[in-house]
Amino acid sequence: MKIEAIHFGEGENDSEDRELRFDTCQSLWNQIKLETEQIQEDLNKQLLDNLVSFLRRSHSDFQEKKTEWTCRMKSREIPTAALVLGVNVTDHDLTFRNLSEALRNNITPYIALLEAKDCPGVKNLMQKLMGQLMNCSTDVVSLEDEDSVQVSQNRIRCSMNSLIDWYKSVTKKTDSETLSKKRTSSSRHQQSPPVVVIFKDMESFTTKVLQDFIVISSQHIRELPLVLIFGIATSPMIIHSLLPHSVSSLLCIELFQSLSCKEHLSTVIDKLLLTSRFPFKLGEKVLQVLINIFLYHDFSVWNFIKGFQLCIVEHFYSQPLSVLCCQRADAKKRVNSLSHDQCENIRRLPSFRRYVERQEAEKQIALLTADNFLKETTQKLLEDLHVYHENYVSVLRCLHVFTCSLPKYPLGKQIRELHCACLENQVWETEDYESFLQLARMLNKSDLETMLQQCVEILVSSSGNEFDKAIGKLKEFLTQFHKLEAEAFQEQDVSVSSQKELQKKTDLYHLQKTLLELKDSRRSKKLTKFEMLRFEVVDYIDSLVRNYLVPADHKTLHEIVYFNTASVLRGHLNAAPRIALHTALNNPYSYLKNEALKSDGGSISNKAPDICIVYKLHLECGRLINLVDWLEAFSTVVTAVEGPNADAASSDQVDDIIHARFIRAVSELELLGFIKPSKQKTDHVARLTWGGC
C-alpha cells in the first residue's frame, strides 16, 4: 500500500488541514516502519550470526588444505543448513533478504536464491543458479569485464563443469586484484569464498530435482566450495522424507531454528502498541480482528503490520481531528491553531460531550461557546491522555508479571491477551480477574519477592512521574518480607524448644491437655504475619489496577488517537467474494464510477460490460437457461438505441460480432462458476446459483 496515493479529506469541510493530516500520517508510518525493521533485525540477529559462523567454518578444509585423509573423508559431504522458519510463509522473503545481505557483507558475494516454481528440472535449476551467480560476479570483477560476463552467461553451457571453470576464473581475478592492493588492507571476503545456494521453499521442490542436484554437486565438492541452505516451513524431517538415505548421507546437515511467529508478534505488539513513543493506538475490537487473522489465517507478522498500516491510513483519512494525533509538543501547537470548524468537531465527540455533562453550568457554557477556553481545556485533556498511556503501560506490565506466573493463566499468558482484556472493559469486574486474585493470595514468599522486585524495576524505568509513592510502597513490602524471614528463624528455634518440653511431659493427663490446646488453636487459627502481608501486597496491586487500567474509551478525547472502526477494517481484510462479484456484475457503477452505467430500478444499460448484461439476464431465468433465448435477449439489449432508430435493429439476423461477444461473456460467466453445460439439453446451460445476494 502506498500512502502517497491517498488524498485525505478531499472535497470535505476539513480540506484546509488535509495536507497536515497526510504529512502526519506519513511521518508516523515512517517511524513505525523503521521500528519494525529494527525489531526484525534484532530478532533475527542471533539466527543470522549462527548461520554466518556456520558458513565460515563450513569450508575451512577447502581453504586450509589439510591432510589428504581428511579431505577424502569429507570429499563428498556438502555443508547444509536446515533453516526452520515456520508456516508464516509470507514473512520468509524478509528473512531471506536479511540473510543474503548478512552473507554478502561477511562471507561471500556468490549467493543464489532458488524457488521451486523456477526449477521444474535440473537444467532449469542450473540455468537459474549460474544466471544469478554471474550477476553476483559483476560486484567482484572490474567494470571493464562486465560485457564479457554477460556474453559468457548467454553462451556458456549450464553444467557443473562450466560452473567450476567460472568459479576458478572469477576467484583468480579477485586474488590478483587483492594482491595488487596494499597488503595492509583486509578483504571482507575469504580468498576462496563459498558458493551459497538457498532453496527458499524446500518442500515445494521436486524430489528428483533435489536428488540429482545433490548427487552431482557432491562429486565436485572438492573443486567447488558449495553450501546449501534449505528453507523449511514444516519440520526438518521433510529432508529425510524427500531424500533417500543414499542422498541425505551426502549432506552434512546442521539445524537452525528461527523465532516462533507468536513470540515475534508479541514483540511487535510490545514495541509498537504498548509504548508511549507512538501516539496512534488501536481499539480492542480492531486489535482483536488483526490478532484473529494472524492466529486463524496465516501466522504472518508482516501481514499484521500491513493491517496496522491500513488502520493508520483509515484513521487519518476518516477522522478530521487526527491532525492532533502527534507527539505532545506538536499537539500543543496544533491545538492553538485550530479553526472554529475543528473546535466544533471536538464538541461533537461523544467522549467530550460526556465530559461536558459532568461539568458545572458555567463551565459547560464556556466549553460550548468560547473557542479559546475549549483550546485550553483540549490541551489539558490531551496531556492527561498522554500521561494515561504512560501509566497504563507500566501498570499493565506489572500485572502481567503476576498473571504469567500463575498456573492457570486466568487473564492470559501473553501480554497482548491481557491488553485486550483491559481495553474491552473494566478488567477488575471480570471473573478471570477474581480468579487471578484468589490464586495470587496463595503465592509463596519467594515468588512474591521476585514479582515485587520485577515490578519495582518496571516502575523505576517508566517514563511516568506518578509512581514514586508506588515504588516506595513496593520496596517497603520487600523490606517486610526480609524481616519476616529473620523472625521465622527465631520462631523455628522456639518451636523446637516447645517440642522438647512436650516430650519431657510424660504424664498422660498433661500430654492430652497440651494436644487439645494445639487442636483448638488450629481450629481458631489466625492469619500469620506472612499471610497478612501477602493479602496486603495483592490488595495494593489491585488498587494500582483499578486506578491506572481504566479502559481507553472511558478517557476524554480518546477518539483522536484510537482507531475503533473494526467493521471498516474487517471489510478491507476479510474477503467476501460472492458479495463483491454480485455487486460488480449487477451494479458496475459501484466500481467503475462511470455515470453512463447508472441504471434505475433494475433496468439493464447497453453501456454496461457484456458480462454484466449477461449476468443480469441470467438472474431472470430458471434453473435451465436456453442459449438461443439468452442470445436474443442479449442482442436486444446491446443493439438498443435511443431516438427514432430504435427499431432499426432486427432480431432475426444476429450480427457475428454480437454473437462472439455473447459467447465470450458466457464463457467468462462459466469460468466464474455461475453456470455449467447441461447434459439434459444440449442447447441449454444449468444455473449454479439461486436468488440474489
Side-chain angles (χ1 to χ4, degrees):
M1 181 190 301
K2 293 185 178 180
I3 298 179
E4 292 80 4
I6 297 177
H7 303 282
F8 291 92
E10 188 173 2
E12 300 177 0
N13 295 329
D14 57 322
S15 59
E16 59 185 11
D17 65 328
R18 67 172 182 265
E19 293 184 4
L20 184 58
R21 286 159 58 193
F22 170 75
D23 294 339
T24 306
C25 175
Q26 193 175 36
S27 175
L28 177 63
W29 169 244
N30 290 335
Q31 295 176 22
I32 293 176
K33 184 179 179 182
L34 290 175
E35 181 69 21
T36 305
E37 293 174 352
Q38 186 63 43
I39 293 171
Q40 179 77 18
E41 184 178 344
D42 294 342
L43 292 177
N44 288 335
K45 186 177 186 304
Q46 185 65 38
L47 176 66
L48 298 182
D49 291 345
N50 293 338
L51 280 168
V52 168
S53 62
F54 167 75
L55 263 75
R56 278 207 177 101
R57 66 176 185 273
S58 61
H59 280 281
S60 58
D61 293 348
F62 185 85
Q63 295 189 24
E64 296 175 5
K65 297 182 180 179
K66 293 185 178 180
T67 62
E68 183 180 355
W69 182 84
T70 306
C71 293
R72 192 177 301 161
M73 289 294 293
K74 295 188 176 182
S75 60
R76 299 190 65 192
E77 287 188 358
I78 305 175
T80 305
L83 183 56
V84 183
L85 296 173
V87 296
N88 49 331
V89 181
T90 52
D91 294 345
H92 294 177
D93 289 334
L94 183 59
T95 303
F96 283 119
R97 196 183 314 137
N98 294 337
L99 174 60
S100 301
E101 292 178 1
L103 297 182
R104 190 171 288 111
N105 293 333
N106 298 282
I107 300 297
T108 176
Y110 311 123
I111 301 172
L113 183 63
L114 304 179
E115 296 186 52
K117 63 180 182 180
D118 301 326
C119 307
V122 179
K123 180 180 178 181
N124 307 98
L125 189 150
M126 291 301 300
Q127 289 176 347
K128 197 74 176 177
L129 173 62
M130 295 190 67
Q132 291 190 23
L133 291 177
M134 286 186 172
N135 288 332
C136 293
S137 66
T138 56
D139 296 332
V140 181
V141 299
S142 61
L143 296 175
E144 300 173 356
D145 297 332
E146 285 188 3
D147 296 335
S148 62
V149 170
Q150 297 296 331
V151 172
S152 62
Q153 179 182 341
N154 296 328
R155 292 181 179 179
I156 199 168
R157 185 171 178 270
C158 294
S159 65
M160 190 59 69
N161 290 329
S162 302
L163 182 60
I164 293 171
D165 294 338
W166 166 83
Y167 179 78
K168 289 180 179 178
S169 64
V170 173
T171 52
K172 187 176 181 180
K173 289 180 182 179
T174 55
D175 290 342
S176 61
E177 288 179 2
T178 52
L179 289 173
S180 63
K181 294 180 181 179
K182 295 182 180 179
R183 297 192 177 273
T184 55
S185 63
S186 59
S187 176
R188 62 178 180 173
H189 297 142
Q190 303 169 356
Q191 290 183 357
S192 299
V195 176
V196 180
V197 182
I198 302 175
F199 293 86
K200 181 180 176 183
D201 45 351
M202 192 254 187
E203 293 98 333
S204 302
F205 276 84
T206 308
T207 304
K208 190 176 185 306
V209 173
L210 284 176
Q211 291 183 17
D212 293 346
F213 178 75
I214 292 172
V215 171
I216 295 171
S217 301
S218 66
Q219 297 173 357
H220 300 85
I221 193 64
R222 292 185 62 185
E223 302 169 286
L224 182 68
L226 192 68
V227 179
L228 305 182
I229 297 179
F230 290 152
I232 300 174
T234 53
S235 168
M237 294 303 296
I238 193 67
I239 298 177
H240 302 287
S241 300
L242 292 176
L243 305 176
H245 177 71
S246 59
V247 178
S248 61
S249 61
L250 301 176
L251 303 176
C252 181
I253 303 175
E254 188 167 336
L255 183 63
F256 296 89
Q257 181 76 46
S258 68
L259 187 69
S260 167
C261 54
K262 289 185 178 181
E263 296 177 3
H264 192 171
L265 177 68
S266 298
T267 305
V268 168
I269 291 178
D270 191 16
K271 300 292 185 181
L272 297 185
L273 298 180
L274 301 180
T275 177
S276 57
R277 289 180 52 198
F278 305 116
F280 177 76
K281 305 295 179 183
L282 294 181
E284 184 270 333
K285 292 182 179 179
V286 173
L287 180 58
Q288 201 62 55
V289 168
L290 294 178
I291 292 176
N292 288 341
I293 292 175
F294 172 85
L295 292 177
Y296 302 113
H297 183 59
D298 55 7
F299 286 102
S300 173
V301 178
W302 183 244
N303 285 345
F304 179 89
I305 294 171
K306 289 196 289 187
F308 185 60
Q309 178 189 10
L310 180 62
C311 294
I312 295 175
V313 174
E314 188 65 36
H315 178 70
F316 279 87
Y317 177 76
S318 59
Q319 175 56 262
L321 294 172
S322 59
V323 68
L324 302 178
C325 183
C326 55
Q327 299 299 331
R328 298 165 78 167
D330 297 331
K332 293 181 179 179
K333 299 177 182 177
R334 295 184 182 183
V335 169
N336 291 328
S337 59
L338 290 177
S339 63
H340 176 72
D341 292 338
Q342 291 168 325
C343 291
E344 290 298 323
N345 288 332
I346 293 177
R347 295 185 177 105
R348 295 190 191 100
L349 293 177
S351 63
F352 186 79
R353 293 169 65 180
R354 291 194 298 267
Y355 171 79
V356 173
E357 291 173 357
R358 296 194 300 266
Q359 307 304 314
E360 298 177 354
E362 295 180 357
K363 193 172 183 180
Q364 288 181 359
I365 296 173
L367 289 172
L368 297 176
T369 57
D371 289 349
N372 291 332
F373 184 72
L374 175 67
K375 293 177 183 179
E376 295 177 1
T377 307
T378 302
Q379 285 185 351
K380 181 180 179 300
L381 292 174
L382 285 177
E383 181 65 24
D384 293 342
L385 195 59
H386 285 294
V387 173
Y388 159 76
H389 288 143
E390 294 174 348
N391 299 336
Y392 174 89
V393 171
S394 300
V395 177
L396 182 72
R397 296 187 192 281
C398 291
L399 180 60
H400 181 248
V401 167
F402 279 81
T403 58
C404 69
S405 302
L406 296 176
K408 295 184 180 180
Y409 310 115
L411 288 173
K413 184 177 180 180
Q414 301 290 341
I415 193 170
R416 56 178 169 81
E417 299 173 356
L418 183 60
H419 177 53
C420 289
C422 294
L423 286 178
E424 185 177 6
N425 48 35
Q426 295 178 343
V427 68
W428 55 87
E429 295 180 354
T430 61
E431 294 181 2
D432 288 341
Y433 187 79
E434 292 297 329
S435 301
F436 153 71
L437 291 180
Q438 293 177 5
L439 291 172
R441 292 190 177 104
M442 293 187 290
L443 291 169
N444 58 41
K445 187 171 73 67
S446 61
D447 290 341
L448 270 176
E449 287 182 341
T450 304
M451 295 176 186
L452 287 176
Q453 187 61 45
Q454 293 178 4
C455 290
V456 169
E457 294 174 358
I458 291 172
L459 296 182
V460 168
S461 61
S462 171
S463 56
N465 300 322
E466 300 183 8
F467 294 122
D468 294 339
K469 183 178 179 181
I471 294 171
K473 187 68 175 177
L474 295 180
K475 288 182 177 179
E476 181 183 343
F477 286 142
L478 288 172
T479 304
Q480 293 180 14
F481 276 121
H482 292 317
K483 289 181 180 179
L484 286 177
E485 188 175 358
E487 293 176 359
F489 285 113
Q490 297 178 359
E491 292 178 359
Q492 185 177 3
D493 295 339
V494 172
S495 63
V496 170
S497 61
S498 63
Q499 289 178 2
K500 290 181 179 179
E501 291 180 359
L502 186 62
Q503 292 174 359
K504 291 179 182 179
K505 296 178 179 179
T506 55
D507 184 42
L508 181 61
Y509 172 76
H510 288 90
L511 185 60
Q512 288 180 343
K513 183 179 179 181
T514 306
L515 291 175
L516 288 172
E517 290 176 354
L518 289 174
K519 186 177 180 181
D520 293 338
S521 65
R522 288 196 187 99
R523 287 178 179 175
S524 60
K525 183 181 178 181
K526 295 182 180 180
L527 294 176
T528 63
K529 292 183 179 180
F530 166 70
E531 291 172 338
M532 294 174 63
L533 184 57
R534 181 172 58 187
F535 273 69
E536 191 176 351
V537 170
V538 175
D539 290 342
Y540 187 75
I541 297 298
D542 179 47
S543 67
L544 290 178
V545 169
R546 294 173 183 269
N547 288 335
Y548 295 105
L549 295 189
V550 180
D553 55 6
H554 290 204
K555 307 300 293 184
T556 308
L557 302 184
H558 69 89
E559 297 93 342
I560 294 176
V561 297
Y562 277 86
F563 178 68
N564 292 297
T565 317
S567 58
V568 174
L569 180 66
R570 198 178 291 111
H572 286 308
L573 299 181
N574 290 348
R578 182 168 178 257
I579 297 175
L581 274 175
H582 176 77
T583 304
L585 297 176
N586 191 52
N587 183 22
Y589 173 77
S590 61
Y591 286 96
L592 300 179
K593 302 302 180 185
N594 187 348
E595 295 294 332
L597 298 179
K598 279 189 175 181
S599 58
D600 299 330
S603 61
I604 305 175
S605 171
N606 62 339
K607 303 286 185 172
D610 293 341
I611 189 174
C612 298
I613 299 174
V614 169
Y615 176 79
K616 297 189 75 171
L617 289 173
H618 113 286
L619 290 178
E620 302 174 359
C621 302
R623 189 179 67 85
L624 292 178
I625 307 175
N626 190 319
L627 287 172
V628 177
D629 297 339
W630 201 2
L631 173 59
E632 290 181 356
F634 175 78
S635 176
T636 303
V637 174
V638 170
T639 57
V641 293
E642 297 179 359
N645 297 325
D647 298 329
S650 174
S651 60
D652 297 333
Q653 298 178 349
V654 179
D655 187 60
D656 292 340
I657 297 178
I658 296 178
H659 195 175
R661 288 168 58 185
F662 174 75
I663 293 175
R664 179 177 180 179
V666 170
S667 300
E668 291 174 348
L669 211 61
E670 181 182 356
L671 183 64
L672 291 174
F674 287 98
I675 58 173
K676 71 173 183 178
S678 175
K679 295 181 180 179
Q680 298 179 7
K681 298 181 180 180
T682 56
D683 58 344
H684 286 64
V685 292
R687 182 177 174 185
L688 297 176
T689 58
W690 61 92
C693 254

